[in-house]
Amino acid sequence: MRDDKSRIRIFDTTLRDGEQSPGAAMTLEEKLDVAEFLDAMGVDIIEAGFPISSPGDFAAVSEISKLVKNAGVCGLARAGFKDIERAGEAVRGARRPRIHTFISTSPVHMKHKLQMGPNAVLDAVGASVSRARNFTDDVQWSAEDATRTERDFLCRCVELAIRSGATTINIPDTVGYSTPQEYFEIISMLRNRVPNADKVIFSTHCHNDLGLAVANSLAGVLAGARQIECTVNGIGERAGNAALEEIVMALRVRKDLMPYETRVKTPMLSRASKLVSNVTGFPVQYNKAIVGKNAFSHESGIHQDGMLKNVETYEIMRPEDVGVKETSLVLGKLSGRHAFRDKLEAMGYTLDGPAFAEAFKRFKDLADKKKHVFDEDLVALVDDEIVRGHDLIAVENLRVETGTNLLPGCELTLSVDGEDRRVKTTGDGPVDAIFKAIHEIYPHTATLQLFQINAVTEGTDAQATVSVRLEENGRTVTGRGADTDTLVAAAYAYVNALNKLLVKREKQAPEALTVAR
Ligand code: KIV
Ligand code: ZN
């Protein structure tokens, strides 16, 4: 690290702004997994949730606060004292607790959303920041919709926030409306005009509605911001936030133009992306920068020829710098427990006891069915095992009959709380038959929102990963299942989603899953 002036703090809001995207809800266990990974990867601050918004969010922020070893942990709060007290309580156990309080400052938000005049907003800025300082010295203040805020008023708000004790000033482009030039000018103006601006850290928080979130964030850095708020895979409200992996790699690859450093261990980026994609069920687009499946593939003959002569012809970073390895074929059906454990450890997984035994059994089944077992297959298999954990409902057996001139049907056995239940059903298609069978065995009122199949590796014997999103009483969960058989993966995914709804019922509200018996 050169000096503090060149250091960019990475503020990850995957678990707060990211989780706010429709359908991205995560269970407490999933949030803990993500937080632990982000901490190990070297992000500086983890925004773990919005504690007043639900008991589930409060629990997540407070558990993450206890779990995280290095990063600061932050809870979001509106300007009201109840919000701030709840956030203060939730981050109390953190080594470095932060409260992030915000209020809208743009004319359109003040008039229509807050129904408050500028003076009342100013009062709220001072009061909220002072109140937050009673809980922690590390207080971040945000001007929601800052980029559409009248400039003089923005300066007055920022000045008051600093005077009241804020240590980080965040300038959100809440609706993704700004451009790099404009965003650069806003940050520069604030740093030049606001008294004591040099005593705080300016932060960027850019949404991606015009596809400019990363560019705007980097423009903010060039103007003097030293914290970037971002999310893994760029998930977040609407079109999402600035993507963490893109920010970090842009700063690393173009150090000649942007001489700044982050503490992120870039070889972990690819796994962070997979983890977040798995727990949210949001697939990563193939051509996504840095972590997309095709980000390091070269298809055209001209490109392949160039690459063989010198990789620098078409590659500006090495795949291993972001954790992408050449797919390797190392394990097969003759491999034993030892080799399997070694391989998992090399890929960064530690599974113990029953989870290891189950993963090994599933690996052997896979190796029997599949010619080649690739690293990606193992990742899918093990992530699936981690996600499934010890569930109330499990798929024990599935037989499916389908074809032309035949009514598709299935025979399914589920174990529900240790008791086997079996049914036979038919449906419009084999997937419909399976889902009906699950419904018959375990009646529920959740509705199917999304059914999606992805192949993990190439070829007809590839493992399929299926995502199923269920919605009940306004809550959505996404289940995942992986298998060489797409229909089996579909059954796993549906049951995984049901288990998640059951976890949510326990953790949040008793009515989360209405069992219509
Ligand atoms: O986009 C936004 O303005 C936010 C604030 C709460 C920081 O997410
Ligand atoms: Zn946001």
Side-chain angles (χ1 to χ4, degrees):
M1 197 67 42
R2 234 166 298 197
D3 60 42
D4 209 48
K5 290 213 175 80
S6 67
R7 184 154 122 57
I8 305 298
R9 286 131 192 102
I10 296 294
F11 177 109
D12 181 279
T13 184
T14 307
L15 296 173
R16 199 279 296 169
D17 209 318
E19 212 229 2
Q20 268 171 236
S21 27
M26 302 173 213
T27 62
L28 176 62
E29 289 72 14
E30 290 165 343
K31 288 182 183 179
L32 292 173
D33 285 346
V34 172
E36 202 168 20
F37 195 90
L38 292 172
D39 190 30
M41 189 166 78
V43 310
D44 297 278
I45 301 115
I46 297 172
E47 187 164 52
F50 188 3
I52 201 152
S53 69
S54 72
D57 253 45
F58 180 88
V61 178
S62 85
E63 291 301 315
I64 289 170
S65 295
K66 290 181 226 150
L67 175 81
V68 161
K69 295 196 176 70
N70 303 306
V73 178
C74 176
L76 183 70
R78 287 165 300 190
F81 283 6
K82 276 207 181 104
D83 278 46
I84 292 168
E85 279 152 23
R86 204 75 180 126
E89 223 182 300
V91 296
R92 199 170 41 202
R95 288 185 187 200
R96 291 197 290 120
R98 174 178 292 192
I99 296 177
H100 174 192
T101 180
F102 72 100
I103 190 163
S104 295
T105 51
S106 66
V108 61
H109 274 221
M110 289 194 292
K111 180 164 179 217
H112 298 288
K113 191 181 106 168
L114 299 177
Q115 292 168 341
M116 283 166 83
N119 287 337
V121 167
L122 273 171
D123 287 346
V125 172
S128 57
V129 172
S130 309
R131 182 79 187 140
R133 281 296 301 248
N134 292 337
F135 294 90
T136 169
D137 291 346
D138 188 351
V139 173
Q140 169 169 326
W141 179 76
S142 285
E144 190 183 1
D145 205 16
T147 53
R148 293 193 299 168
T149 296
E150 196 267 314
R151 301 294 185 253
D152 287 344
F153 184 62
L154 186 59
C155 288
R156 287 175 66 202
C157 290
V158 170
E159 181 179 349
L160 184 56
I162 297 175
R163 202 165 353 109
S164 308
T167 43
T168 302
I169 298 292
N170 185 38
I171 304 299
D173 184 26
T174 302
V175 290
Y177 178 69
S178 205
T179 65
Q181 179 67 30
E182 182 185 59
Y183 198 71
F184 177 94
E185 282 163 12
I186 294 172
I187 301 282
S188 304
M189 176 213 57
L190 290 169
R191 291 189 65 231
N192 290 330
R193 279 183 55 186
V194 173
N196 294 317
D198 56 329
K199 307 280 185 306
V200 295
I201 293 201
F202 278 86
S203 164
T204 69
H205 177 105
C206 298
H207 279 270
N208 204 30
D209 299 65
L210 293 174
L212 293 171
V214 170
N216 287 343
S217 308
L218 295 175
V221 167
L222 291 173
R226 288 294 174 267
Q227 171 177 289
I228 303 182
E229 303 203 357
C230 47
T231 59
V232 175
N233 296 337
I235 64 169
E237 288 277 9
R238 306 178 311 279
N241 290 66
L244 181 149
E245 57 281 357
E246 295 177 22
I247 295 279
V248 168
M249 288 313 289
L251 289 172
R252 180 174 162 155
V253 172
R254 295 314 306 270
K255 217 178 265 305
D256 55 330
L257 297 179
M258 297 178 286
Y260 311 110
E261 318 242 356
T262 74
R263 285 191 175 151
V264 171
K265 296 176 185 124
T266 65
M268 295 176 79
L269 288 172
S270 172
R271 276 199 60 207
S273 163
K274 287 199 177 81
L275 175 63
V276 169
S277 169
N278 285 346
V279 298
T280 56
F282 283 16
V284 177
Q285 80 196 51
Y286 281 9
N287 60 330
K288 165 88 179 59
I290 317 296
V291 291
K293 187 174 183 292
N294 289 353
F296 294 94
S297 323
H298 303 271
E299 186 74 35
S300 94
I302 297 173
H303 286 208
Q304 286 180 350
D305 178 57
M307 284 291 291
L308 289 171
K309 289 176 176 144
N310 184 330
V311 289
E312 282 182 18
T313 50
Y314 288 103
E315 251 173 28
I316 57 166
M317 54 200 147
R318 292 175 307 161
E320 55 271 33
D321 290 343
V322 302
V324 173
K325 277 185 270 153
E326 279 294 292
T327 297
S328 57
L329 195 176
V330 282
L331 290 187
K333 62 181 176 184
L334 298 177
S335 308
R337 280 165 199 278
H338 191 172
F340 182 62
R341 191 184 290 282
D342 278 357
K343 181 70 188 162
L344 291 188
E345 279 173 8
M347 294 194 306
Y349 290 102
T350 329
L351 290 187
D352 304 311
F356 176 81
E358 183 58 24
F360 183 68
K361 181 172 160 297
R362 296 185 65 215
F363 155 67
K364 284 298 222 184
D365 289 348
L366 181 66
D368 267 344
K369 285 186 222 157
K370 200 171 180 295
K371 234 182 344 197
H372 305 310
V373 179
F374 296 100
D375 287 359
E376 289 94 321
D377 290 319
L378 292 176
V379 170
L381 183 148
V382 176
D383 282 346
D384 195 38
E385 189 50 43
I386 291 168
V387 168
R388 290 192 307 135
H390 305 290
D391 294 330
L392 184 82
I393 312 171
V395 177
E396 291 299 328
N397 198 38
L398 175 67
R399 274 173 65 87
V400 182
E401 211 176 34
T402 188
T404 49
N405 305 320
L406 175 80
L407 188 60
C410 79
E411 191 179 316
L412 174 72
T413 309
L414 294 184
S415 124
V416 180
D417 211 3
E419 178 204 325
D420 279 3
R421 300 185 195 168
R422 188 167 69 95
V423 292
K424 265 182 155 184
T425 44
T426 55
D428 291 339
V431 174
D432 186 45
I434 294 168
F435 289 180
K436 276 189 178 149
I438 296 173
H439 214 279
E440 228 172 275
I441 294 178
Y442 197 86
H444 53 275
T445 58
T447 53
L448 182 67
Q449 302 287 305
L450 171 113
F451 173 73
Q452 189 168 284
I453 304 171
N454 292 306
V456 178
T457 44
E458 313 285 322
T460 48
D461 66 352
Q463 277 215 92
T465 305
V466 172
S467 300
V468 163
R469 190 179 305 151
L470 297 180
E471 193 267 340
E472 165 121 336
N473 298 336
R475 289 190 189 87
T476 47
V477 290
T478 305
R480 261 187 74 257
D483 198 89
T484 45
D485 185 321
T486 310
L487 296 173
V488 175
Y492 283 154
Y494 197 109
V495 165
N496 180 232
L498 269 186
N499 280 311
K500 286 187 180 179
L501 274 179
L502 287 167
V503 170
K504 284 206 154 195
R505 177 172 61 167
E506 274 168 30
K507 297 273 177 342
Q508 296 186 339
E511 77 287 5
L513 186 67
T514 316
V515 178
R517 284 176 196 283

